[in-house]
Amino acid sequence: MRECEYSQISTRSSTPMETPYKKRTPKKRKWETFPGRNKFYCDGRIMMAKQTGVFYLTLVLILVTCGLFFTFDCPYLALHLTPVIPVIGGVLFLFVLGTLLRTSFSDPGVLPRATPDEAADLERQIDVANGSTGYRPPPRTKEVVINGQTVKLKYCFTCKIFRPPRASHCSLCDNCVERFDHHCPWVGNCVGRRNYRFFYMFILSLSFLTIFIFAFVITHIILRSHRNGFLTALKDSPARYPFTAQPWLVVCFFSVWSIVGLSGFHTYLISSNQTTNEDIKGSWSSKRGKDNYNPYSYGNIFTNCCAALCGPLPPSLIDRRGFIESDAPQLAPPANGITMYGATQSQQSHMVSLYTVS
Amino acid sequence: LFHNLQELRHSASLANKVFIQRDYSEGTTCKFQTKFPSELESRIERTLFEDTVKTLNNYYAEAEKIGGQSYLEGCLACATAYLIFLCMETRYEKVLKKIAKYIQEQNEKIYAPRGLLITDPIERGMRVIEISIYEDRGSSGSSSGSSSVSGSTAR
């Protein structure tokens, strides 16, 4: 019944005879054979890092805090102040949730790994440049001059590519990511070129939301305390208003400051067109040398901000929902017999193995 | 040599692949080197090759251009909490479709008749323009190979 038995015999061998039987194995989507350490949901539509525990914590914290606010504080405030307050709160809440999910679920800008032919071609070029053979050569770098500044491009041994400028390899996800900012456990994903603006919108709107909630919870206590006195109201709060209790307010206070601080930091990064990665390493700081400057900056804050937030959104390069094509022609036989993208030898191209991948 | 892409795939064998790398001298915007690779010297005229690469570079520059239209798109998207992308195609995606059509056209008119085939850079992570060089397959012993190739190619 299953004809794939026949295809398995001939796939990896070097005999030139192509199987005459049409393969009946169901077509797999590319995300199922993705080499990085990512998790996929909804048939490849959603992409996250491997560890997602902290993301669920973030989600729970936001939902619980907002839930409590809308249940216990909003009725009073809507009645005694204005109903606009819950409306604004609701809009902010939805925006925060939307940007959070967009940050967590999208492809941050992962670079697909090199095809075997590409990798072999690069290896050949490096060997020619080094003049050496055999054992592992020294770390491979390539120098490029970008807008007058010399930038070193590093070779990634895992992905077998020279990393484009500003790309970095995330060790948690085991992927090279374009314009790598950082890996954020709170959103359960890397933050890179494709989702940085969503991440920034998320922390910015979250700052507004937390300040908003904090301010109106205080307002609520103050209004209620006009009858009894402020301190009495605070003292009473564990019993009468269990969720506006002092310890909870303290937690809110510190989380507000950390999120606001983070938003401030990223606003600085955006206005100078740097990534967290570059800032931490001090890549463009003047301490490295008098002539060291950021070659990617557009020169003024406004343009930098617009470019980061309103620039075009590049497409995903990994095509996670595409089907794996099993008949792509290849030049050199793959090193360990395992082809990452499911390509098999479908032509008599063994005659043209120009070089072996060691 | 070859009159169309079908003929190319069925009666030729892959001899070599040339990879045109990215040109990062202007930053991270997508641009490919226009240097003419030596392996193509006998196969295609330098000007045709350079024209192809320059046109592709122009398309990518158009896709990544930061200006009035991209700001409008960005602000509109932000205002709708990025939900608008569920029904609308981004400008980048529109340009990528144009590029795919252009590459197919170039393959059919210019490259396949010379035994070459360009792979769309989007299929290689926008890292390289892969140009496959085909040799006319010898007639002896390979007819069974080529017929099974055409049999299993599911297009």
Side-chain angles (χ1 to χ4, degrees):
Chain A
M1 179 59 183
R2 292 196 65 181
E3 292 185 55
C4 58
E5 302 155 12
Y6 296 109
S7 59
Q8 270 177 357
I9 293 169
S10 60
T11 305
R12 308 272 159 69
S13 69
S14 54
T15 53
M17 198 60 207
E18 177 69 18
T19 171
Y21 296 95
K22 198 163 173 211
K23 295 183 185 147
R24 290 273 178 90
T25 48
K27 279 213 162 183
K28 275 189 160 191
R29 291 197 193 256
K30 289 182 187 163
W31 66 265
E32 299 182 59
T33 53
F34 187 68
R37 247 182 271 137
N38 287 89
K39 279 205 247 176
F40 295 91
Y41 303 104
C42 285
D43 199 20
R45 287 182 183 89
I46 291 177
M47 175 176 179
M48 295 179 80
K50 193 161 173 238
Q51 311 280 20
T52 49
V54 187
F55 164 69
Y56 292 118
L57 177 66
T58 309
L59 212 53
V60 162
L61 282 175
I62 293 176
L63 289 173
V64 166
T65 315
C66 292
L68 294 174
F69 176 70
F70 285 119
T71 320
F72 292 97
D73 298 282
C74 278
Y76 184 89
L77 290 167
L79 208 58
H80 288 83
L81 276 182
T82 160
V84 176
I85 292 173
V87 171
I88 295 179
V91 168
L92 269 177
F93 168 70
L94 288 174
F95 196 76
V96 165
L97 215 55
T99 45
L100 169 64
L101 296 180
R102 196 74 206 227
T103 311
S104 306
F105 293 165
S106 57
D107 169 16
V110 173
L111 290 168
R113 300 204 180 170
T115 56
D117 293 322
E118 242 182 285
D121 186 69
L122 270 182
E123 295 245 349
R124 196 170 50 105
Q125 280 178 19
I126 291 166
D127 279 344
V128 163
N130 279 352
S132 65
T133 54
Y135 40 82
R136 196 180 171 115
R140 305 159 173 179
T141 54
K142 202 157 69 160
E143 281 202 354
V144 174
V145 178
I146 299 177
N147 288 333
Q149 180 83 293
T150 312
V151 174
K152 269 207 174 90
L153 302 183
K154 288 203 190 134
Y155 181 77
C156 182
F157 284 98
T158 315
C159 304
K160 299 210 168 54
I161 58 170
F162 273 102
R163 281 184 216 129
R166 311 195 95 174
S168 193
H169 191 94
C170 175
S171 45
L172 288 161
C173 303
D174 205 25
N175 292 318
C176 270
V177 178
E178 270 191 297
R179 201 188 184 280
F180 180 72
D181 196 82
H182 66 286
H183 181 102
C184 186
W186 299 95
V187 303
N189 206 354
C190 288
V191 177
R193 184 176 175 205
R194 293 190 74 245
N195 64 354
Y196 186 56
R197 72 192 69 189
F198 307 130
F199 175 74
Y200 180 71
M201 284 297 149
F202 165 61
I203 54 175
L204 196 66
S205 52
L206 190 61
S207 311
F208 287 134
L209 183 66
T210 46
I211 293 175
F212 184 84
I213 291 182
F214 191 70
F216 281 107
V217 164
I218 300 268
T219 310
H220 183 188
I221 295 181
I222 290 176
L223 287 179
R224 278 213 194 252
S225 71
H226 268 154
R227 271 182 265 156
N228 307 335
F230 184 67
L231 290 173
T232 326
L234 268 185
K235 252 195 320 170
D236 282 341
S237 55
R240 290 177 70 188
Y241 319 112
F243 300 101
T244 51
Q246 285 157 289
W248 190 247
L249 272 180
V250 171
V251 166
C252 265
F253 184 73
F254 282 114
S255 58
V256 166
W257 280 111
S258 39
I259 293 172
V260 169
L262 190 64
S263 306
F265 174 61
H266 277 280
T267 309
Y268 157 71
L269 286 182
I270 284 186
S271 57
S272 59
N273 202 333
Q274 286 186 84
T275 64
T276 307
N277 206 17
E278 287 164 354
D279 187 69
I280 288 178
K281 287 192 203 155
S283 307
W284 313 122
S285 95
S286 45
K287 295 190 199 131
R288 283 217 181 183
K290 255 198 317 171
D291 290 329
N292 203 25
Y293 61 90
N294 183 358
Y296 310 109
S297 171
Y298 291 91
N300 72 76
I301 293 176
F302 183 67
T303 319
N304 283 340
C305 289
C306 287
L309 302 174
C310 302
L313 187 64
S316 171
L317 295 173
I318 54 178
D319 187 27
R320 37 198 202 273
R321 284 178 47 82
F323 287 107
I324 297 173
E325 302 208 355
S326 49
D327 54 358
Q330 271 190 348
L331 273 181
N336 50 7
I338 297 169
T339 49
M340 281 195 279
Y341 301 101
T344 57
Q345 295 288 82
S346 59
Q347 288 186 332
Q348 289 179 313
S349 45
H350 308 279
M351 62 177 100
V352 205
S353 345
L354 298 168
Y355 33 73
T356 52
V357 178
S358 56
Chain B
L1 286 174
F2 304 103
H3 299 291
N4 54 32
L5 279 173
Q6 297 290 90
E7 205 183 288
L8 179 71
R9 288 207 179 100
H10 293 178
S11 59
S13 74
L14 193 55
N16 198 0
K17 281 188 187 182
V18 183
F19 297 96
I20 313 293
Q21 301 285 342
R22 283 271 293 268
D23 176 5
Y24 292 119
S25 59
E26 286 171 24
T28 52
T29 47
C30 187
K31 195 172 170 214
F32 290 96
Q33 294 179 1
T34 48
K35 188 171 83 92
F36 189 59
S38 51
E39 292 91 337
L40 295 178
E41 252 163 45
S42 54
R43 306 297 294 241
I44 190 170
E45 293 83 347
R46 180 188 288 257
T47 44
L48 284 173
F49 168 81
E50 280 176 1
D51 274 343
T52 310
V53 179
K54 282 193 184 137
T55 313
L56 284 175
N57 285 341
N58 285 338
Y59 272 124
Y60 288 120
E62 183 194 323
E64 297 188 8
K65 197 166 68 128
I66 305 172
Q69 204 196 348
S70 77
Y71 289 157
L72 197 65
E73 198 184 54
C75 290
L76 187 68
C78 183
T80 62
Y82 301 102
L83 291 169
I84 196 160
F85 289 140
L86 291 171
C87 43
M88 197 179 86
E89 214 177 36
T90 68
R91 193 163 64 123
Y92 212 114
E93 284 166 351
K94 289 195 186 111
V95 178
L96 285 178
K97 282 197 176 151
K98 280 203 266 182
I99 289 174
K101 236 178 67 172
Y102 173 73
I103 288 181
Q104 171 152 25
E105 199 186 279
Q106 290 279 291
N107 272 338
E108 280 171 10
K109 290 197 197 142
I110 298 178
Y111 288 83
R114 291 169 171 76
L116 302 171
L117 204 64
I118 302 181
T119 307
D120 196 330
I122 193 80
E123 293 176 34
R124 295 288 178 264
M126 303 283 260
R127 271 193 307 268
V128 287
I129 305 177
E130 183 182 293
I131 303 185
S132 309
I133 303 176
Y134 287 86
E135 295 289 345
D136 200 5
R137 203 187 276 254
S139 53
S140 57
S142 55
S143 50
S144 57
S146 66
S147 63
S148 57
V149 166
S150 55
S152 64
T153 323
R155 289 270 177 243

